[in-house]
Amino acid sequence: MGSSLRDKMWSPLIVFLVVGLATAENAWKPGYEYKYQIKGRTLAALHQVADKYVGVVSRATLTLQPQSSNAVLARISDAQFSPVQASLPGGWASRIPEKELNYKSLPLSSKPFQIKFKNGVVDELVVSKDLSNPEVNLIKSVVSQLQVDTHGENEIKWHRGSQAPKRPSESVFRAMEDTVTGKCEVMYDISPLPMYATQVNPELAPMPELRGDGILMDIAKTKNFSNCDKRVAYHYGITGLTDWEPADNEMGHFFSRSGVSRIVISGSLKEYTIQSSVTVNKVILSPALYNAQKGMVVSRMNVTLISRRSSSGSPPSVPNPQRVKDLVYDYNDPFPSERSSSSAKSPAKGNKSSESESQSSSSSENDSSDSQSNSQESGSSSSDSSESVERPGHKRQIPKRFRRSAPQQKNKNASSGSSSSSSENDSSDSVSNGEDSSSSESSSESQNSSNDSSSSNSSESNSSSSSSSSSSSSCSSGSSSSDSESSSSESNDSDSNCSDSSSSSSSSSSESGSVSSASSSSSSSSSSSEEHNPKPGMNKAPKIPLLPYFIGYEGNAIPTSKDIEPVSAVKKLCSQIASELQHPSTIPQKSTLSKFAIVVRLVRTMNAEQLQKAVSQIYAPIKSSGENPWTVLRDALAAAGTGPCLTTIKDLIKSRKIATEEAAEIFATLAASARTPTAEFLKALFALATSPEVTKQPLLNSTAILSFANLARKAQVNNVTAHNLYPVHAFGRLSPINPKAVAEEYIPYMAKHLRAAVKDGDSHKIQVYIRALGNLGHPKILSVFEPYLEGKEPMSTFQRTLMVTSLNKLAKVFPQVARRVLFNVYQNLGESHEVRCAAVLVLMRTAPPAFMLQRMAEFTNRDPSLQVTAVVKSAIQSAAALQGPHHHEFKMNAKAAANLLNPKPLGIHYSRQYLQSYMVKEMGLAYRRELSWIGSSDGLLPSSAFISTRYNVGGWKSQNMALAMMTSSFNDLVDAVSDQFEDSDSSNSGKHGSKSGKKSSGSGSGSHSPFTTEKIAEMLNIEPSDDEQVEGNLLVRYMGTSRFFTFDNTTIENLPALLKSAASALRSGHKFNYNKLYNQFALTLAFPTETGLPFVYSIKKPTYISLRGEVQAKSHPDMASGSRDSIRVPETINSTASLQFVYSTRMTAKISFVAPLTHTRYIAGVQKNIQVNVPIKATFDLDAENSEASVTLQPLYNNREAQIFHYSTIPYTAKHNILDLTPVSQGSNFKPIHVREPMQMETTVGKDSTGFAFRVKYATEQKYLDYQYLYEKAQRHDAMSLILYPWAERTIKYNNINVVFDPQRSNTKSVTFTASYDDNSDDSQSSHSWSDSDESDSASNESRAHSGKSNSGKSAGSSSSSMANPSTSKPVSEKRQQEFLRRASSGIKNASASVLDLAVEFNGNKNIAYVATAAYASSEVDETSRALFYFYKSPTYGNSKPYEVCAAAKGVYPNVPLMNIAKALRANPTSYASSEISFGEKCGSGAAQISISAKGEQSQERKEYIRRSPMAQKCMSLMQSGSYLQPACRNITARANFLDSYSVNIQYEKLPAAFKNFTYKAYSVARYLGYPYLDENTINVHNKEGKITVDIDFEPDLKAANVSLTAPSFEADFDLVRVGPCARPLAVQHPSWNAADRFLTYALHAQWTASCGLDRDSVSTFDNKTYPIHLGKCWHVMMTSQPEDDDSSSSSSNDDLTAEVTVLVRDASSHEKEVKVILGDDVFDLKPSGSSSSKKSSESGDADGVVYFNQKQRSVSYRKINNVTDSDGEMLAFWYALPSGAVIFEAPQHEIAIMYNGEAAWLEAGSTYRGDVLGLCGTYDSEPATDFTSPKSCILEQPKMFAASWAVPDQTCQGEAKEWQRRAASAPCFNQTFTPHDVITEEDANSGYSSRSSKSSRSSNSQSGKSSSSSSNSGCTQHRTKIIEQGSQTCFSMRPQPTCANNCRATGKVEKSVDFHCVANSSASRHFVEMVKKGANPDFSRKEVSKTIKISVPQGCTSN
């Protein structure tokens, strides 16, 4: 039944449709007059926050009088409007109470206008020229409701593969239809409307009787804004990272837009009457981009029939008529006066948007030149001349509407070819060399475009345009350029029918690697049917459409109003802002930052002449204090970013009104904030950046060229940013994509200066021009980089590394091009690890495909460089863990490769790349962070580090933070800087008072050994190192700009002069006043609504940073005195400073629309303020000699309140008069939105505890403000997102927090922080008492207790807390420090003790002091250590009683064996600890007491686990052959004595209840976190009061732990609590290593202090390479410092000390070793204790070795440390024995330590030696592949030859070492040098837009059947492997070379040198020859280069 009824309803409709398709006319009958009621409303609201709406409602009457079947005369009368600002509980569509309405007359002309139809569809309007642009747009909004395409006149086909709804095909169709909101796709759905529906809603068909014999039909129209032929919009600020199309149906999660119409007609589709038409247009978006609660602007236009009557008389004609070609919103000319004046000079050549009917004969001629204006410089329009029209009672100039005539009319006129100007302009409309078809440049640019395309006719040019600009794959009319109609006039319009959603572009081919989305985003802007305003010039203000300040005065810019004089207004605002900035506490309340935003917007409307006038009136040099309006205008000029601003700033720079750093900041800000970067703008910016006035100014010169390059990339190279970031829908393509200037002017200029800098060795310029070229991101930079990256031109490793990292922009814009080059660099094993690592870092930014990542992952298993292995491994692993849909494909690719990676763990000192992303739960917030570094071969710290964070706020992505530091060597940088300083008590010769740094021992007898480091270097002929110069840079993104700072040796050598100058200036006091106003970010989006009123969304974040004050400093000795070449390190510094730091920012988000005729903006918005204000006076005193420092702080203003912190969020609605240049928040119609009564709190903090009173006032409408709220917020975030978005909230609500310093209630005047440090190094009981004598100790030779068993639990008895109870509580007391040093070291043999004393004193009416003192003592030869802690708080204003805490702790940790696994497993590592804590008013008997005793031991299960582990079994096997120190043994021995079982007993008494409550809360948190593991018993627990027991037992593998807790009231067990790998080294104790040692050993994989082990017959190097060795009776160099080249710069003194260290080793017997340590002129020998030449001292006990100093034996004791000092009394070396018998020898100044047991030696060397040593222990550069480096600095292959090369060929050398050394001298030895490699192919070097554009052009011409030279050449040039036969060899080119195909010939020949790989003639060579002949190109790129041959290659190829 339902089906039958439905068929009955549809059958008449189908009949009407069929008839209508054949004969449809317009909707009204001639002879009648129809009246319609017009009702409109446009409202803005935060509707999901509250029901507060603001907006306007309107009403009017529309009278229609049909003139013919295709023309209707119309008139709008009685137009009224009423502003609305009210609550609408029923929503936006609900009835508005009459009391809320106040209708006023709308200034809309009632003059008649004509509507013309074509086949029933509105074709054009004829209106009076007297109408203003806003009036015409309002008429269009009304007529748009009458646009009904009942028969599919403009129907477009369904996309292939898409499905139309299952309805009769005639009732559902798509059409491309023009309305006021644009010409966009509309979905029609026509269905019958039953009569009963009109009874329910009679307004749908108020006159149903007019249907006659027909029916009522309901027509639903749904707009698809994502597919528009004419998109009317203005946008700015959508970054290239954001894949949004402006004004689409949706933009990420942030924005959605819809347009739905319902039209009811009566009658038939042939003859019908529109009963009603209603269109609702909604724009819904998140105000701050991410909010869960949305806001909206909704507009509804309702046209309803109210009467029909017969008409009498002839209808009136349209006065002073002009034609308007469509219903699309017209852009306005904001400056009609400029147009009038320019028209007098240069009349317009044609009328683009309208033409007078009375001048139709001339209109055709005018239309023919509708392409572009050639009078851009004079500001004239490109369409029609302006006229001054006078209206009754009002005189004004009518703005020009920048519109083109319909494409069909243009093509018709173009085909006539009667006008020379038409031909010229049509050709300029084309795309030549990649230029956009809709680009409208200045006259010179248009002429250039014409010249470029002059060789082609108009039709060909347009065909090329559609291909090269946006080769669309889906056309709305179902046709493309290849199947369009044959007439040339139609080909011009081929682009107009193409969809914006094109998914491919000729400029985005896979060859080029361009981002594919670039094409889709560019297609809409380049569509020839889209109409644009003329390109902005350099002197005239840009003619920006839709924005309030440009249309706010009746469609004109507000400066055209007589009420606003822009220069005076700017001057007044700048003065107000400057005054308010002097009182930072008032900045949020006075909306100062909003005023700055107003200045910026107003400056954008000003021309160069006005700006120059403003500057001349406001400019004043910046003073050290006081207000200065000039800084406000200066920053506004930079932030405005228009052509006139650039012109003004250029004049300021050239006149030196701004210079150096100030000019650099302004230049960088201007480039970053450029709104309309046309080609002319960029040329002017380039001319300024390269002008002498800029290039000769430091800081400015580098910033200028780098900022220019960044902007050129965004505007001209990167298709995506050029489209997304800039207003292309308003102006067309602002700058042609890849214009000739980039490739032919900008890049050659930079390349030329780079070559000159390389020639001159100017590191600063080299770095700057490398980075500038990289910033361009153009493929042509590869040809500039090629000779350097391939070794054809000299360049340092650091500079090549910088060159590779600078490809990051190319990787972003052209990922496939960059990917190939970077992968080639990575694959070059002959390249340095720094360059290869840099290639990997950048390569990962291209999101490599799975096969490439798999290849890289697999290669980590055999890559010789661990640095490269580490970075590849970390990059792939972190990429596999990325979150979010944007990274899904990359993540899956990485996952596919992750399991192929090398499983070997590597320390964090190796290169790394960590990619991390996170999406905040339930919020539109996310981030992606990259943290990476390139490891150094000469230190633990990386040579380069990079960090960047990309924000994702509601889908809007921006890189807001970036920091990069690169150095050639961080260690060398530190050394070079250290060289500039000298100790104040030293001579000019060096830090240690000795030029060479050599220090003889204090023994009085030097060494008579024949060995010194220098002599050994001469004997072995060790090649000196060739040190590269120190160079580096710092790249930082801050305050909305990027800055790049470079340094090199020259920079560092200038440090003394700079610091001396600064010290001299600071002596008398230096005032400074830094102020900066800028926008952190800005996003603007505008387009017309259905009512013809422009929707405007903007979000911006104006920010103010200020640091001003005065600093005075004095030092002793005076830093300004002394040598000019060095800086004297001061012993004391005394400085004072008055500082005021202010950081203030206001985020303003406005959802609004503009009513131009009433100059009103209706806003629903949110503003968020954050401010920090710190006004202080500070005094700093440093006493370096006594290790004491103090800082005193006090308020800058003693009698003035200061708002320290402010935070507020205010949602609101507002009606704002655009002509009122005051902030919206200060207007009378600003109404905050409140959702509930706010909770308020006001309190004072700090007064009682410190004497400083801070008032805290807090008001919030947060419904719940408790721990649950904070917990839920923390659950949504990770740590990084919480830092990035600390103030982000899901909901929008009112908040206000203020923290104010109240001086009136403060009793304290200042606060002093003091720190003091001391140790016992100079005490009589310290190191000097260790000095050894020539005679051994006479004490009896006691037998040593075995393995720590001499210590029982009692011996570690509790240390009394009284030890930490000092005799004085005075702040920073020397007496207390000495007491603590003495008590801490009491009873500890050879103790090293240190103390730190901290104090905070609040000075005022009552002095309040907080004191903390801590001391620690330990010893190398005593198992006992002790720590003391004391805290004291004096009586405060809130508490009259003092408070003390005294704590003493003691531990007993035995020294366990570290060289022998068997001894380690037999040792007893049990350790004990005890502590006593006392606190209360006094630490005496009445205080609370806590006693803790703990025991840690190793369980039998753990011992058995270690013993049975595969590593232990392997070590046991090695030990049988005498190998104790191979990696397996060293690792397992280190693990053998970890303690896995702990018991802790806690006893307490007199604890206060508050403390007990706190401890229980802490347990509650632990119980919550450990709930899955918890088993708790609270029933029948009767444990002893005052005692708590904790037992912790780890699993044998230490991966989990069982924790038992017994307390008086409960028992708890946490079973198998997981222990993470990072927590494990901190949680599990080891007797010999503290927590820091354990963690660093874990993090660096035992490379914290790398060690080299030499045992019976093997060596394990610093970099863990193990090889066999036989020394014999011949000294071998175990380690020696590599000598430096005589030409190298002098090193620091510390380097001199480490440069004179050599360690020799030889066999003493078949299983014993002797070690000789050479420290300058002093020699130490370590010999086995059983050797014939050694005798045991009485206290040596069972020590396994003896020590000789300068050939005299010294005693070795396990009970004390013996040492030798140098001539300055500094310790030269010390030694002692471990209980296991091993001897520890350390030389602290030289940073080496040796563990020696007679049979083996374990050498540890500090990080200073990394990369600077040679010998048997390797190079210590983190690369095992280089360990076999011989004295010749080349790498040997055989271990035996390598070891022999380090034998010392003196007279004592016996055995076969000399013979093997002779063989080694002639053995193959490979230098570790940079090996050139062809990493950039010919194709990559020549890639770019030009080639791709020609390809797309050829493709287009070929498809359209055209013939041109380019199309005939498309397949001529090929790349083939070149073959040359030479004698018995056949040589193949390493890379394919260009050659001409068959039927083609070379246009010219060039010679080039090509690398060839040659092979002997054989079947294999013949096979390769045959492959080449068949067209294959075998890969010889990895083969060795046999020779380089000059060959001729074609310069180009063309058809025969």
Side-chain angles (χ1 to χ4, degrees), residues 103 191 225 233 450 578 630 647 654 699 783 866 998 1016 1488 1624 1699 1953:
Y103 279 102
S191 60
F225 295 106
S450 298
W630 160 241
T647 301
K654 292 195 171 185
L699 297 177
S783 62
L866 292 181
K998 295 182 180 180
I1016 292 172
R1624 217 169 291 153
S1953 297

Side-chain angles (χ1 to χ4, degrees), residues 1552-1747:
F1555 185 86
K1556 291 182 179 180
N1557 188 46
F1558 172 78
T1559 56
Y1560 182 74
K1561 287 183 176 180
Y1563 166 73
S1564 300
V1565 173
R1567 178 174 58 183
Y1568 174 80
L1569 296 175
Y1571 180 77
Y1573 314 103
L1574 176 64
D1575 181 13
E1576 190 176 48
N1577 176 27
T1578 59
I1579 308 301
N1580 298 324
V1581 177
H1582 304 290
N1583 296 323
K1584 185 179 178 180
E1585 285 294 329
K1587 184 177 181 180
I1588 298 175
T1589 302
V1590 181
D1591 293 312
I1592 304 172
D1593 294 303
F1594 285 86
E1595 293 293 297
D1597 60 2
L1598 307 180
K1599 293 181 179 180
N1602 301 310
V1603 182
S1604 298
L1605 175 65
T1606 303
S1609 59
F1610 67 91
E1611 295 174 347
D1613 292 323
F1614 295 87
D1615 298 326
L1616 296 176
V1617 179
R1618 309 299 188 268
V1619 183
C1622 293
R1624 217 169 291 153
L1626 300 176
V1628 182
Q1629 307 295 305
H1630 190 282
S1632 298
W1633 298 331
N1634 59 34
D1637 289 335
R1638 297 193 303 271
F1639 182 79
L1640 289 171
T1641 299
Y1642 157 77
L1644 299 173
H1645 289 275
Q1647 291 286 307
W1648 171 231
T1649 51
S1651 58
C1652 170
L1654 185 147
D1655 47 31
R1656 184 178 300 177
D1657 54 9
S1658 65
V1659 175
S1660 180
T1661 68
F1662 288 122
D1663 295 324
N1664 289 324
K1665 183 170 187 173
T1666 302
Y1667 62 93
I1669 194 170
H1670 177 68
L1671 298 175
K1673 291 286 186 177
C1674 187
W1675 289 110
H1676 286 65
V1677 176
M1678 190 174 183
M1679 183 195 84
T1680 186
S1681 304
Q1682 187 172 11
E1684 293 184 353
D1685 195 342
D1686 293 337
D1687 296 333
S1688 64
S1689 59
S1690 60
S1691 300
S1692 66
S1693 301
N1694 187 51
D1695 282 342
D1696 288 334
L1697 288 176
T1698 57
E1700 48 189 41
V1701 176
T1702 299
V1703 180
L1704 305 178
V1705 65
R1706 71 177 179 184
D1707 287 339
S1709 66
S1710 59
H1711 61 280
E1712 292 179 320
K1713 298 285 187 290
E1714 292 182 30
V1715 177
K1716 188 183 294 289
V1717 182
I1718 304 170
L1719 306 177
D1721 294 330
D1722 296 308
V1723 179
F1724 294 85
D1725 287 283
L1726 306 180
K1727 298 184 179 182
S1729 57
S1731 64
S1732 57
S1733 60
S1734 61
K1735 59 179 181 179
K1736 289 189 177 181
S1737 64
S1738 57
E1739 63 174 29
S1740 294
D1742 296 330
D1744 295 330
V1746 294
V1747 177

Side-chain angles (χ1 to χ4, degrees), residues 727-743:
V728 295
H729 296 302
F731 298 105
R733 177 78 69 181
L734 286 164
S735 181
I737 203 69
N738 190 42
K740 287 184 177 181
V742 174

